[in-house]
Every structure is written in C-alpha cells, then in structure tokens.
C-alpha cells in the first residue's frame, strides 16, 4: 500500500513552520498520483524529503491556506495547475487572476507556478501508457482491447479530455469496474503504472526537481 501524505487546513497549523517545501495542487487526481510518482522516481516519499502536498480543492478554505503560505512560506511554495486555468474563460477557482487578487505577484506566478497538460493533468500522459492502464484496469465488456485511437479522439480543443475519456470507459468497460471510473481512481492507476522516469510528464519532473532544490535534498550545480 502506498502512503499518501497531504496537508489539510485542519492539520496545517501545527506543522506549517517545520517543513521545507510545499506543493499546492488543484484536486484529488494530483493528490492521489503525485506521491506515487515521486516515490517511483526517487524511492522516497515526499514527506521524507520535507515536502508537503496541499490539495486545495479538498478543503473549502483554499484562499486561507494560500494567504497563510503567501505570508510566511511564499519562497518555498510551488503550485501545479492545469494549463487551461490560464484561459480567461476558465471556470477554475485557482487561476493567475485569483492568485493576483489575494496578493501573489506576477513574479511569483511566473516563477513558482507550473502548468501541466494541453488543458489538464490527465492529458499530459502519453496515450500508449493510458491505453495500457485502461486495458489492465478497465477492460472492455466486449472483449476487445482499448487502442490509442480511443484516447486520441479526445485530444481536441473542444473536448474536456478526462471527462469525455472516463465517460467512454464507464460506458464500455466490464460492469464490475464501472463504480471506480472516477478521475482520482484513474490518476492513481496511471501513477502506479508509470514506474520509469520517461513516463512522467516533464512539468511534474520540473516541479519535483525544484522542490528537491528548495528542500535541500538535491544540490544546485
């Protein structure tokens, strides 16, 4: 069983001033997958390296946490956000504009915010790996295999990749697996499959490298 260490508002204050780096993410997909991907790459947990993962959408007080970290830990705080949150029409709660509204400067946003995917976290992973995950965890009810074409048809600007992909899986996989076709389940399965460094999207590796520099685990050359 993989241990997942995260920080909620309830337990934030007792340890806030004793950790070395913070990674703020949007939701449960990142919360489920990033600790596993980190361990896959480095053989250690985030918390062992002094890094706290803060899933902002899993608590209602995300503005309070951001404001608290901005005031006390801004220089050791990074955010990993979906690429489409930069879209002015985005319905995301956490955007460059909303960060600016609570006092984060443009320098912080350009230097400490990382953006992933063409639009979102899930679409950053390669289709071949996603196909393998789907065939292993959500086999089709008709006995045929999922293919790259099944995935790539959702890599379209007009599509919401993860929503449309998971809806297709839910409708076509064997019935006993349909109750776990949710984004957090999918992200967990993808992370468990992506054991090699080359399977991990570049923005995630860049965030991990920066966190390890901030925490002192990795030395800057």
């Amino acid at each position: 069983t993989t241990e997942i260490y995260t920080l909620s508002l309830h337990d934030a204050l007792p340890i806030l001033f004793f950790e070395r780096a913070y990674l703020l993410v949007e939701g449960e997909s990142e919360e489920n997958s990033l600790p596993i991907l980190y361990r896959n790459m480095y053989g250690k947990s985030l918390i062992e390296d002094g890094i706290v993962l803060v899933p902002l959408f899993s608590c209602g007080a995300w503005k309070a946490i951001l404001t608290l970290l901005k005031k006390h830990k801004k220089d050791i705080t990074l955010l990993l956000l979906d690429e489409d949150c930069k879209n002015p029409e985005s319905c995301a709660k956490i955007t460059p504009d909303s960060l600016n509204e609570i006092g984060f400067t443009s320098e912080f946003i350009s230097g400490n915010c990382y953006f992933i995917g063409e639009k979102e976290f899930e679409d950053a992973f390669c289709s071949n790996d996603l196909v393998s995950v789907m065939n292993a965890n959500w086999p089709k009810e008709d006995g045929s295999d999922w293919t790259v074409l099944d995935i790539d048809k959702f890599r379209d600007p007009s599509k919401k990749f993860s929503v449309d992909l998971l809806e297709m899986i839910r409708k076509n996989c064997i019935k006993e697996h349909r109750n776990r076709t949710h984004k957090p389940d999918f992200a967990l399965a993808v992370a468990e499959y992506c054991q090699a460094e080359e399977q991990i999207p570049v923005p995630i590796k860049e965030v991990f490298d920066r966190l390890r520099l901030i925490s002192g685990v990795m030395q800057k050359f």
Side-chain angles (χ1 to χ4, degrees), residues 108-120:
F108 177 90
I109 294 167
S110 62
N112 289 49
C113 294
Y114 291 76
F115 299 92
I116 187 167
E118 291 296 320
K119 294 177 69 175
E120 58 177 327

Side-chain angles (χ1 to χ4, degrees), residues 2 4 14 17 19 73 78 127 136 138 147 174 185 192 202 216:
T2 301
I4 297 178
F17 299 105
E19 301 303 335
K73 297 290 183 180
L78 303 181
S127 295
W138 292 276
T147 70
I174 59 177
D185 303 311
E192 290 173 342
V202 170

Side-chain angles (χ1 to χ4, degrees), residues 8-211:
S8 66
L9 184 61
H10 178 267
D11 60 10
L13 290 176
I15 66 171
L16 178 62
F17 299 105
F18 299 100
E19 301 303 335
R20 296 184 296 227
Y22 297 86
L23 176 61
L24 281 54
V25 298
E26 293 190 66
E28 291 180 275
S29 292
E30 296 90 341
E31 179 184 8
N32 276 6
S33 60
L34 290 174
I36 296 171
L37 294 171
Y38 190 91
R39 186 179 288 279
N40 289 350
M41 286 189 67
Y42 306 112
K44 296 174 69 179
S45 70
L46 287 164
I47 204 69
E48 284 178 277
D49 285 341
I51 301 164
V52 174
L53 180 66
V54 185
L56 294 171
F57 283 5
S58 65
C59 70
W62 63 270
K63 281 190 177 180
I65 290 180
L66 279 170
T67 301
L68 190 62
L69 288 171
K70 173 182 69 72
K71 184 175 181 180
H72 297 287
K73 297 290 183 180
K74 180 178 68 175
D75 292 339
I76 61 171
T77 296
L78 303 181
L79 283 82
L80 180 64
L81 305 172
D82 287 350
E83 179 67 32
D84 66 358
C85 82
K86 294 190 289 186
N87 186 333
E89 299 177 357
S90 171
C91 61
K93 294 179 182 177
I94 305 169
T95 66
D97 286 343
S98 67
L99 289 170
N100 186 256
E101 286 171 8
I102 58 174
F104 284 93
T105 64
S106 57
E107 288 79 11
F108 177 90
I109 294 167
S110 62
N112 289 49
C113 294
Y114 291 76
F115 299 92
I116 187 167
E118 291 296 320
K119 294 177 69 175
E120 58 177 327
F121 183 81
E122 290 81 4
D123 75 44
F125 293 84
C126 82
S127 295
N128 285 330
D129 288 337
L130 297 183
V131 163
S132 296
V133 168
M134 290 161 60
N135 282 322
N137 293 275
W138 292 276
K140 281 187 179 181
E141 189 171 34
D142 66 9
S144 64
D145 286 337
W146 297 107
T147 70
V148 167
L149 292 177
D150 290 321
I151 293 172
D152 284 350
K153 65 186 178 182
F154 299 122
R155 296 188 184 277
D156 181 285
S158 65
K159 304 287 187 182
K160 181 64 174 175
F161 181 82
S162 62
V163 173
D164 293 337
L165 178 63
L166 286 168
E167 181 62 21
M168 178 188 69
I169 294 172
R170 188 177 297 110
K171 288 179 177 178
N172 292 281
C173 73
I174 59 177
K175 290 180 180 178
E176 55 266 35
H177 290 195
R178 291 178 186 174
N179 64 346
R180 58 183 187 87
T181 50
H182 305 287
K183 287 181 66 172
D185 303 311
F186 189 72
L188 179 65
V190 171
E192 290 173 342
Y193 179 78
C194 292
Q195 297 286 324
E197 183 175 347
E198 59 268 20
Q199 294 175 289
I200 299 174
V202 170
I204 294 176
K205 291 189 283 190
E206 290 176 345
V207 168
F208 286 168
D209 282 348
R210 178 82 178 280
L211 288 166

